[in-house]
Amino acid sequence: MSLPRFLPNTAANQKVFSNRLEMFFGLNGSGVPPHIDEICDPIFSIQLQGRKKWVLGLPDPTFRGLQSEYDEMIKKSLDPPLFEFVVEPGEAIFFPTGMLHGT
């Protein structure tokens, strides 16, 4: 498999990106509310243009509530966020599987 030129051709990258590479594009002011991705892969995001504010946090490991209680758990887990920062053009971020994140 051929990886994008900005990714080193390592065994780890071949494994992570062997079956997919996702790209998301947003208009000025767009973003997503804090959430945990259902995919079981780490997240690597490159900011191509514009700026993006990110918040990252750790979910409550004891949470076993209903879907209707999920949003409240997210709010509590991000009060305050573990990290809050702005990614500028040409910068990248990486965070592990299961981390709360929003933009």
Side-chain angles (χ1 to χ4, degrees), residues 17-100:
F17 298 106
S18 64
N19 61 359
R20 74 168 204 286
L21 180 62
E22 297 177 351
M23 300 184 94
F24 299 94
F25 296 89
L27 299 175
N28 190 26
S30 65
V32 295
H35 63 282
I36 303 169
D37 286 325
E38 305 239 347
I39 61 171
C40 295
D41 290 331
I43 304 295
F44 178 69
S45 178
I46 301 171
Q47 189 72 24
L48 299 176
Q49 186 175 349
R51 309 170 78 224
K52 181 76 60 184
K53 179 182 173 183
W54 284 81
V55 292
L56 301 177
L58 298 174
D60 177 353
T62 64
F63 179 73
R64 300 289 183 264
L66 302 172
Q67 182 65 34
S68 60
E69 300 166 328
Y70 178 79
D71 288 342
E72 190 58 33
M73 180 274 292
I74 298 252
K75 286 179 192 172
K76 287 180 182 176
S77 295
L78 290 173
D79 187 23
L82 185 61
F83 299 103
E84 188 170 6
F85 53 90
V86 173
V87 177
E88 302 284 347
E91 295 180 339
I93 64 167
F94 174 87
F95 51 91
T97 302
M99 187 164 239
L100 286 166

